[in-house]
Amino acid sequence: MRTQVAIIGAGPSGLLLGQLLHQAGISNVILERQSGDYVLGRIRAGVLEQVAVDLMDECGVGERMHKEGLVHAGIELLFKGERHRIDFPGLTGGKTVMVYGQTEVTRDLMAAREAAGLPTVYETGDTVSLHGFDGSTPTVRYRKDGAEHEIQCDFIAGCDGYHGVSRASVPRGAIREYEKVYPFGWLGLLADVPPVFHELIYANTDRGFALCSMRSPTRSRYYVQVPLTDKVEAWSDEAFWKELRLRLDPEARERLVTGASLEKSIAPLRSFVAEPMRFGRLFLAGDAAHIVPPTGAKGLNLAASDVKYLADGLVGHYRERSSAGLDHYSERALRRVWKAERFSWWFTSLMHKFPDEGPIAQKLQEAELDYLVSSRAASTALAENYVGLPL
């Protein structure tokens, strides 16, 4: 098979890139190690910055998002038993975010790709291998239904996540990795119950962090900070709801509606960056190149901005015979990545209880939060980063 761009990974970043390239008349093939149903079954966050919303519209797949997504104009910070609102439009000149689950983003992009008849190969397993990306004729090989296949291409886009083959294919000496692993995780529960509040509540308490989020007016997603040693099997639904209630303010506690979990899992938190993000004709995007703790809701949004930079570079290459966009891809993407990493690290450090720090740490966090909500400058810095810095 011959194509212009081979995309590894059919998550939102790979699908988004494929759709943008298709609209620009650039042929592409997507390879995915799992089945389509498996990809859709992954439960992920869903707070979209304006950049991500605009890209969905640019791809022609924004209709359902605008119909079902929830526009949020702020968040609530809960500390010392009281909630304080951060007003996004008032602090950022009118900017908001959109709550729309990553699963739904993926579903919309999958449907558009299928409707356009674009080639996607699912269930390749661990058979994908990348070759020749340090030269001018890259190839991708894989095994499917007992047969060997090879794709010849101009470029390879590695959109296959942290554990994917793309970054692993880069020679060790060509890549530098930065990582911080946090000493706790998020126990998350998804349930068909109305949200406790119409905006997200981020809670700092002496029992640990909690987050009240939602997927729709009838489906909620809640999280509590737990030790990394905890096992999800040890947490019954009843135990989860009891612990969450202890971390809320009286009003939220009163409004909390509980129910059976649809999904429950523990996610570890880490900050990770691999740089550069280009190796010859191989480009990394999204989780293949960087991971952020979910506190700042930056994972999917960083993937979207990576894809925007990469798509622009590829369009410039084919339409204008210019290499500038591709040559500067890694530098441009990493500048935004590191700012998002900084924000996510800061927000995580501010809101969570660290096991090796004594009572003074809680007092210092509360003092910073008190300053944050009473200073317009500090509130503006939080709001600007949360809604998304400019491309």
Side-chain angles (χ1 to χ4, degrees):
M1 184 185 292
R2 180 76 174 85
T3 192
Q4 289 172 303
V5 182
I7 300 171
I8 315 301
S13 56
L15 290 165
L16 192 59
L17 178 61
Q19 194 70 9
L20 288 170
L21 295 181
H22 166 64
Q23 291 193 312
I26 299 170
S27 65
N28 62 90
V29 176
I30 296 181
L31 301 179
E32 168 58 48
R33 66 187 302 270
Q34 303 286 2
S35 69
D37 287 342
Y38 181 92
V39 173
L40 283 174
R42 293 189 292 225
I43 303 297
R44 296 290 187 270
V47 177
L48 305 182
E49 298 174 0
Q50 193 63 51
V51 168
V53 171
D54 291 345
L55 278 179
M56 290 288 282
D57 288 336
E58 188 177 334
C59 286
V61 295
E63 183 178 353
R64 190 166 72 95
M65 173 187 67
H66 287 291
K67 188 181 298 181
E68 300 179 11
L70 307 174
V71 176
H72 280 205
I75 57 172
E76 301 255 320
L77 299 179
L78 166 60
F79 63 98
K80 296 174 69 173
E82 295 184 3
R83 298 209 310 257
H84 307 262
R85 185 169 185 268
I86 302 297
D87 172 21
F88 292 158
L91 294 164
T92 66
K95 294 182 181 179
T96 59
V97 295
M98 172 85 76
V99 173
Y100 190 63
Q102 182 171 315
T103 301
E104 306 311 315
V105 169
T106 305
R107 192 186 310 279
D108 294 343
L109 289 165
M110 274 186 178
R113 188 168 183 85
E114 185 176 353
L118 304 178
T120 307
V121 182
Y122 288 100
E123 298 183 85
T124 62
D126 295 322
T127 68
V128 173
S129 59
L130 315 184
H131 307 272
F133 55 81
D134 56 345
S136 59
T137 56
T139 59
V140 178
R141 297 174 190 149
Y142 66 98
R143 176 179 283 273
K144 177 75 174 176
D145 299 328
E148 298 285 346
H149 301 267
E150 180 175 285
I151 301 174
Q152 299 175 345
C153 55
D154 299 329
F155 301 100
I156 302 172
C159 303
D160 50 345
Y162 181 78
H163 298 289
V165 68
S166 297
R167 192 179 75 253
S169 299
V170 177
R172 276 193 170 275
I175 194 168
R176 184 166 185 182
E177 297 181 352
Y178 302 85
E179 184 173 37
K180 177 179 176 61
V181 178
Y182 295 86
F184 42 72
W186 279 15
L187 170 63
L189 180 146
L190 185 71
D192 277 334
V193 294
V196 71
F197 192 65
H198 67 276
E199 293 177 341
L200 274 63
I201 301 175
Y202 287 83
N204 170 298
T205 80
D206 57 9
R207 299 184 67 87
F209 171 78
L211 172 61
C212 300
S213 183
M214 73 283 293
R215 293 290 176 269
S216 74
T218 58
R219 178 168 289 187
S220 299
R221 181 74 164 163
Y222 294 106
Y223 301 91
V224 294
Q225 175 188 346
V226 296
L228 280 177
T229 52
D230 277 17
K231 304 295 183 185
V232 68
E233 298 79 19
W235 281 89
S236 66
D237 288 0
E238 182 182 1
F240 177 91
W241 292 120
K242 180 180 179 182
E243 183 58 36
L244 176 63
R245 187 174 277 109
L246 289 171
R247 302 187 190 191
L248 299 179
D249 61 287
E251 180 186 351
R253 214 174 287 148
E254 185 69 27
R255 295 181 52 163
L256 181 66
V257 178
T258 64
S261 62
L262 302 173
E263 188 270 350
K264 196 161 49 184
S265 57
I266 295 178
L269 272 64
R270 66 158 56 90
S271 300
F272 172 84
V273 178
E275 60 179 38
M277 291 169 59
R278 177 188 183 175
F279 308 89
R281 288 177 173 252
L282 168 63
F283 298 83
L284 303 181
D287 288 359
H290 43 74
I291 300 286
V292 289
T295 323
K298 293 298 168 213
L300 177 56
N301 293 297
L302 275 184
S305 60
D306 288 350
V307 164
K308 174 61 174 171
Y309 292 140
L310 183 52
D312 286 351
L314 289 166
V315 170
H317 170 83
Y318 286 109
R319 283 187 181 171
E320 302 162 19
R321 301 299 175 198
S322 169
S323 65
L326 294 180
D327 289 344
H328 292 98
Y329 165 71
S330 180
E331 179 188 351
R332 291 181 72 198
L334 283 169
R335 186 181 300 123
R336 199 167 197 272
V337 165
W338 277 115
K339 288 176 182 176
E341 291 280 356
R342 182 213 67 83
F343 172 68
S344 300
W345 159 78
W346 168 79
F347 203 23
T348 300
S349 301
L350 178 63
M351 299 304 296
H352 290 76
K353 185 179 180 68
F354 285 74
D356 295 334
E357 298 179 350
I360 191 173
Q362 181 69 28
K363 289 293 188 180
L364 290 171
Q365 286 178 336
E366 291 172 356
E368 184 168 357
L369 283 161
D370 191 24
Y371 168 71
L372 177 63
V373 300
S374 59
S375 163
R376 183 175 180 85
S379 294
T380 300
L382 169 58
E384 285 179 345
N385 281 274
Y386 198 98
V387 302
L389 298 175
L391 282 175

